[in-house]
Amino acid sequence: MNLRADTNDALAGEMRALGKAARSAARAMREASNETKNKALNAAAAALRAHTKDILAANAEDLAKAKESGLTASMLDRLALDEKRIEAMAKGVEDVALLPDPVGRELARWTRPNGLDISRVATPIGVIGIIYESRPNVTADAGALALKSGNVSILRGGSESARSSAAIHAALLEGLREANLPPAAIQRVPTTDRAAVGMMLEGLGNTIDLIIPRGGKGLTGRVMAEARVPVLAHLEGLCHVYVNEKADLAKARAIAVNAKMRRTSICGAAETLLIDKAVLKSHGRPILEDLAKAGCEIRADDAVRAIFPAAKQATEEDWRTEYLDAIIAVKTVDGVEDAIRHIEENGSQHTDSIITEDKAVAEHFLATLDSAIVLWNASTQFADGAEFGMGAEIGIGTGKMHARGPVGVEQLTTCKYIVRGSGQTRP
């Protein structure tokens, strides 16, 4: 008897059932009113709060297993939940409910000379497979955003957060039941078997319309290489802060430390600090002292190490590394063009910030740099859908097709053309 083959057959059958149920639920979600969707979201938020103890207990088990397996400090931070984070999760779901309904928006309308009335209208994508790693809050964010945008979601979280995700998913199901929406509208892959990911990437028998990966290079690389269905990519966050020669020192110090250290494990955390050589001594030293005092390891070029000897020698690899940890690479640049060149050659087109009081230089940076998010005198940690007023996000799209930047409810819709006639035929 081939136990492995039997196991794979059983898993394949289970995954096909998920896809079939999702496709069956898609019409109900497409037709659901804004009031019904909001009722489900608000009930889910209430359930998250009501089951805080259960979620924390599940998370404690995940954390214990993760520590035993040697998960890094930054990954443990992503995995960890507390009452404050659960409240933020519930508030995020409520914020999504407050957003305008993205479905049915008339995006454009015109009339042809022959009298045909044509409109382009926003409509749900359908069934979205969302594959993510250790952050259990993505379960709530992704489920809520998909629901509000009239989509069905199939969620596959990381094995390290399986118990936490299951507890959060249970609260989302309470919301669906309260609003009489099909429970298959938000499904969670119940196995940690990696083969399930491969089956999702193949489309589960043409039932998945879009795959969204949220994780590191390994996950995203696999999804991009193996997917047989469209992918909305969330690549690494190799974010930069550039301190221009006209930067205000107080702003530069506050922004640099916040961009790196507020939360080092998120994709919007700054990984490289660029300092204009004209202000290396006046601005560079106090900024580096602030970072070091905050517990950040500094890897720098020779010019920076000359004024801050405690820094470690940076290598070429450091300019292209997403640390997701209390480590930052620091490089001297000669003006805004040099900063832009460095970012273009080494960045991931995610989020980059300039600190300057020179409006012309700032506008040049904002217009020239081809990143999904560019900021002026603000921390890269604002690269977040909630901070953009979008309620929540599934990720930051770094590609150039369909959605770019924070992926919220509007970005989870596509469109269809509605043509109204009065008997026209084509000659």
Side-chain angles (χ1 to χ4, degrees):
M1 179 183 295
N2 190 332
L3 293 178
R4 182 60 185 170
D6 289 345
T7 301
N8 282 345
D9 287 345
L11 177 60
E14 188 175 10
M15 293 300 292
R16 283 195 299 270
L18 285 182
K20 186 176 180 181
R23 182 56 68 193
S24 296
R27 179 174 178 180
M29 291 307 302
R30 191 165 58 247
E31 296 176 347
S33 69
N34 193 44
E35 291 73 21
T36 299
K37 292 184 288 187
N38 289 346
K39 184 177 182 179
L41 290 167
N42 287 319
L48 286 168
R49 293 190 178 100
H51 296 297
T52 292
K53 289 184 179 179
D54 297 331
I55 296 169
L56 289 176
N59 187 244
E61 292 185 46
D62 283 336
L63 283 169
K65 290 286 186 182
K67 289 174 182 175
E68 286 177 11
S69 65
L71 208 66
T72 65
S74 62
M75 294 300 284
L76 287 172
D77 176 64
R78 287 186 165 207
L79 174 59
L81 293 174
D82 54 26
E83 289 189 5
K84 185 177 179 182
R85 288 185 178 180
I86 293 174
E87 173 56 31
M89 201 186 305
K91 180 64 165 56
V93 173
E94 289 174 333
D95 287 345
V96 171
L98 291 172
L99 296 171
D101 191 351
V103 178
R105 288 174 297 132
E106 189 171 88
L107 305 174
R109 189 167 188 169
W110 62 96
T111 302
R112 296 291 295 147
N114 61 6
L116 286 178
D117 179 83
I118 303 173
S119 59
R120 186 166 67 246
V121 177
T123 188
I125 290 171
V127 177
I128 303 176
I130 303 162
I131 304 169
Y132 50 100
E133 294 182 320
S134 60
R135 293 177 65 178
N137 65 291
V138 176
T139 303
D141 292 348
L145 290 167
L147 191 159
K148 179 72 177 188
S149 54
N151 292 292
V152 172
S153 55
I154 298 176
L155 311 176
R156 203 286 186 179
S159 58
E160 65 279 0
S161 61
R163 297 168 186 83
S164 306
S165 294
I168 293 167
H169 179 249
L172 299 181
L173 290 181
E174 284 193 29
L176 292 173
R177 287 193 293 269
E178 184 70 22
N180 292 316
L181 288 172
I186 305 175
Q187 297 184 82
R188 187 184 71 89
V189 175
T191 178
T192 58
D193 193 327
R194 288 173 61 86
V197 174
M199 294 172 189
M200 290 179 68
L201 298 181
E202 290 175 358
L204 299 183
N206 295 319
T207 60
I208 292 181
D209 297 297
L210 177 70
I211 289 285
I212 301 177
R214 181 166 178 174
K217 277 185 177 180
L219 170 63
T220 305
R222 180 188 177 189
V223 170
M224 298 292 284
E226 298 181 18
R228 303 285 182 86
V229 295
V231 174
L232 179 54
H234 169 96
L235 300 181
E236 61 182 337
L238 218 164
C239 306
H240 298 74
V241 171
Y242 164 49
V243 180
N244 177 252
E245 64 175 325
K246 295 296 179 67
D248 176 86
L249 178 56
K251 290 179 185 177
R253 293 175 71 170
I255 291 170
V257 173
N258 182 266
K260 175 72 258 186
M261 298 301 291
R262 173 191 165 271
R263 195 167 176 196
T264 61
S265 63
I266 66 172
C267 62
E271 304 293 13
T272 299
L273 174 65
L274 303 175
I275 304 176
D276 203 297
K277 71 175 186 178
V279 291
L280 182 56
K281 290 183 179 179
S282 61
H283 290 46
R285 185 179 287 113
I287 292 171
L288 297 173
E289 288 172 351
D290 290 346
L291 285 166
K293 189 180 295 184
C296 186
E297 177 184 314
I298 297 165
R299 302 179 184 179
D301 64 11
D302 291 339
V304 173
R305 294 182 72 235
I307 61 109
F308 195 78
K312 295 183 178 180
Q313 181 69 54
T315 66
E316 282 300 312
E317 190 60 29
D318 283 309
W319 312 130
R320 296 182 291 274
T321 298
E322 183 187 30
Y323 302 110
L324 299 175
D325 204 348
I327 306 169
I328 194 166
V330 186
K331 183 177 178 62
T332 310
V333 291
D334 187 10
V336 65
E337 289 298 336
D338 196 23
I340 291 171
R341 179 198 56 77
H342 177 90
I343 296 170
E344 287 178 339
E345 291 179 358
N346 299 280
S348 60
Q349 295 188 323
H350 190 292
T351 301
D352 302 293
S353 177
I354 182 172
I355 308 172
T356 185
E357 298 304 300
D358 189 324
K359 185 177 187 297
V361 168
E363 294 296 345
H364 175 67
F365 183 91
L366 299 176
T368 303
L369 198 59
D370 190 21
S371 297
I373 302 171
V374 285
L375 306 103
W376 173 19
N377 286 344
S379 170
T380 58
Q381 298 257 342
F382 283 108
D384 179 89
E387 293 295 330
F388 278 37
M390 298 165 67
E393 65 173 45
I394 287 184
I396 305 290
T398 52
K400 297 185 180 180
M401 299 299 291
H402 186 61
R404 199 174 190 211
V407 177
V409 293
E410 289 188 13
Q411 291 72 32
L412 292 181
T413 60
T414 182
C415 69
K416 64 181 177 183
Y417 290 86
I418 296 177
V419 182
R420 296 175 175 89
S422 56
Q424 290 91 334
T425 59
R426 185 171 177 176

